[in-house]
């Protein structure tokens, strides 16, 4: 089954008729009938701008963004889904980048300023090399390169070559935030390359949190009010917001983070802000299993679970989602999908309010 068919099955399951669409870009029919292709594109854009299409939030983890090829692959999933839905995207840092940023902070604690600076320069080079491998046109490349340069400059300003540097939890959060900020800029550029208007959005512009650095608690109600002002105008203009996961801001404006591996939670918050129909967590596994496959080789992949069943799985040790995703999803009856970025033809696991037919799979997995 193609990615388009997989997406259709999601829409049909929700009782929505799949949107009609013309020939796929690059197909013979599209090449033979460019006018028809233009009309189809206009109709698609009209649906996006009208707000009549369902709204999905796609969240991509670090493994889905590890290098230019994977970023472009993930961006293509967004492009294809826009044929029948409005889209907002939440991104993690590229795989391994957050760990390196936190090691920079630890090097400052240890007084190893030269090591911290060298590691930062490596990360700046990594993202610039990823930009080069996206093969953008010259003007777009130059613009994104300038943006990455500014981010890199801000990163290096926190890293003195000598002397004393106050290192506290707030600095750890500020340094850790650069991974998502680099990633959002590159992902927006990849979407633009594929013909999808996109804009990077730093979530600290709207996600208000406590000042408990490294484990900040979001103010969901205020963040929803702020987020609508930031994100809705982009969606109404047919632009895909590419939002940084993981980070927010305290009331005094200082960068905070929601804790490690919290980008799933950020995705749920963005879905809540936008009253999205569905949140799709794109990761490197096929979905949710009855147990962690490493500990239980007979673990079974589940097609459908309710929120309560997902809670039970998490309590039993199965790797499901960030702990705060399910309470927020259950509160708003948000449907959450866990799908494999590298197998977009696979259905994945659906988490929702309806009673799911999962008992047989659990029984077989426990046998």
């Amino acid at each position: 089954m193609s990615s388009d068919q997989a997406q259709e099955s999601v829409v049909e399951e929700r009782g929505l008729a799949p949107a009609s669409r013309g020939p796929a870009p690059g197909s013979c029919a599209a090449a033979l009938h460019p006018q028809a292709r233009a009309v189809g594109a206009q109709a698609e854009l009209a649906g996006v701008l009208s707000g009549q299409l369902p709204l999905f939030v796609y969240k991509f983890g670090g493994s889905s963004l590890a290098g230019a090829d994977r970023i472009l692959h993930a961006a293509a999933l967004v492009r294809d889904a826009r044929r029948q839905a409005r889209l907002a995207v939440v991104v993690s840092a590229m795989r391994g980048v957050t760990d390196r940023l936190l090691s920079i902070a630890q090097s400052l604690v240890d007084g190893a300023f030269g090591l911290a600076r060298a590691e930062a320069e490596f990360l700046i080079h990594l993202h610039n090399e990823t930009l080069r491998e996206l093969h953008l046109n010259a003007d777009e490349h130059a613009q994104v390169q300038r943006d990455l340069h500014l981010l890199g400059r801000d990163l290096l300003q926190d890293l003195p070559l000598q002397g004393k540097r106050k290192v506290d939890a707030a600095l750890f959060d500020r340094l850790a935030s650069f991974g998502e900020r680099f990633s959002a800029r590159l992902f927006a550029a990849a979407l633009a390359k594929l013909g999808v208007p996109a804009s990077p959005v730093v979530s600290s512009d709207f996600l208000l949190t406590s000042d408990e650095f490294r484990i900040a608690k979001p103010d969901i109600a205020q963040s929803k009010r702020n987020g609508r002002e930031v994100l809705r105008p982009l969606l109404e203009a047919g632009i895909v917001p590419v939002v940084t996961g993981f980070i927010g801001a305290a009331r005094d404006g200082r960068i905070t983070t929601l804790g490690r591996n919290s980008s799933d939670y950020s995705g749920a918050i963005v879905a809540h802000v936008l009253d999205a129909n569905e949140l799709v967590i794109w990761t490197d596994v096929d979905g949710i299993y009855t147990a962690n496959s490493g500990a239980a080789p007979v673990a079974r992949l589940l097609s459908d679970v309710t929120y309560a069943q997902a809670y039970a799985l998490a309590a039993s040790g199965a790797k499901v989602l960030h702990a705060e995703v399910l309470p927020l999803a259950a509160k708003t009856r948000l449907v959450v999908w866990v799908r494999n970025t590298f197998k977009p033809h696979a259905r994945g696991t659906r988490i929702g309010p309806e009673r799911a037919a999962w008992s047989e799979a659990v029984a077989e997995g426990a046998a």
Side-chain angles (χ1 to χ4, degrees):
M1 181 169 59
S2 69
S3 59
D4 289 343
Q5 290 171 324
Q7 190 65 39
E8 276 190 12
S9 70
V10 173
V11 175
E12 288 170 352
E13 184 165 357
R14 295 175 50 250
L16 297 174
S20 61
R21 54 180 185 264
S27 70
C28 293
L32 289 172
H33 301 285
Q35 186 175 8
R37 180 176 57 182
V39 170
Q42 290 172 358
E44 176 185 329
L45 180 59
V48 170
L49 297 178
S50 71
Q52 294 177 353
L53 294 175
L55 175 60
F56 297 162
V57 173
Y58 275 14
K59 181 266 170 180
F60 292 98
S63 61
S64 300
L65 305 172
D69 288 346
R70 290 190 176 186
I71 290 173
L72 286 168
H73 173 75
L77 296 176
V78 175
R79 176 199 61 197
D80 294 347
R82 284 185 87 241
R83 294 169 176 167
Q84 53 194 38
R86 293 171 294 150
L87 264 292
V89 174
V90 176
V91 293
S92 298
M94 290 173 60
R95 184 174 60 187
V97 167
T98 301
D99 287 337
R100 286 181 173 271
L101 287 164
L102 292 175
S103 77
I104 290 172
Q106 187 58 50
S107 293
L108 293 179
V109 172
D110 299 337
F113 297 143
L115 179 60
R117 188 106 179 170
E119 187 74 356
E121 288 173 345
F122 168 80
L123 290 177
I124 293 169
H125 171 77
L126 171 68
H127 289 92
N128 276 287
E129 184 65 11
T130 302
L131 168 61
R132 185 186 66 80
E133 292 172 354
L134 288 177
H135 300 296
L136 307 179
N137 65 51
D139 289 342
E140 182 66 15
H141 179 95
Q143 179 59 60
V144 180
Q145 190 173 48
R146 284 192 291 270
D147 293 343
L148 296 186
H149 170 76
L150 292 174
L151 283 170
R153 183 194 65 184
D154 291 347
L155 172 58
L156 292 174
Q157 283 180 343
D158 275 320
L159 309 176
L161 290 172
Q162 57 186 0
K164 293 184 178 180
R165 179 70 169 95
K166 178 185 177 182
V167 183
D168 55 14
L171 179 59
F172 268 80
D173 274 3
R174 187 161 70 253
L175 291 175
S177 74
F178 280 94
E180 275 72 14
R181 291 155 72 186
F182 277 118
S183 183
R185 188 64 190 93
L186 290 171
F187 198 94
L191 284 173
K193 175 184 174 72
L194 299 181
V196 177
S199 177
V201 177
V202 181
S203 51
S204 55
D205 287 347
F206 66 86
L207 207 169
L208 182 68
T209 75
S210 66
D211 61 0
E212 300 165 272
F213 296 97
R214 308 188 75 174
I215 52 168
K217 305 298 188 296
D219 181 332
I220 298 295
Q222 186 61 52
S223 296
K224 183 167 187 173
R225 289 190 288 270
N226 297 346
R228 287 182 171 184
E229 294 181 2
V230 173
L231 300 177
R232 277 186 168 179
L234 294 172
L235 289 168
E236 289 168 0
I239 297 169
V240 174
V242 181
V243 185
T244 57
F246 182 50
I247 64 178
R251 293 188 181 276
D252 60 7
R254 287 183 294 171
I255 294 288
T256 60
T257 67
L258 305 182
R260 291 306 306 272
N261 304 311
S262 62
S263 288
D264 288 354
Y265 188 23
S266 297
I269 293 172
V270 170
H272 178 72
V273 164
L274 294 173
D275 296 319
N277 301 91
E278 298 182 356
L279 167 65
V280 184
I281 305 291
W282 290 99
T283 182
D284 56 2
V285 295
D286 290 345
I288 295 175
Y289 289 80
T290 52
N292 290 335
S293 56
V298 294
R300 302 279 297 181
L301 177 65
L302 301 171
S303 295
D304 296 271
V305 295
T306 65
Y307 304 120
Q309 290 161 348
Y311 289 137
L313 286 168
S316 68
K319 183 179 179 181
V320 183
L321 295 169
H322 185 279
E324 298 298 329
V325 171
L326 292 171
L328 186 57
K331 180 179 179 181
T332 60
R333 298 178 70 82
L334 171 71
V335 172
V336 180
W337 290 84
V338 180
R339 299 183 63 189
N340 193 332
T341 309
F342 312 109
K343 297 180 183 177
H345 56 281
R347 179 180 182 274
T349 300
R350 178 185 184 278
I351 306 171
E354 295 83 6
R355 176 70 183 173
W358 78 315
S359 302
E360 181 178 350
V362 172
E364 291 180 6

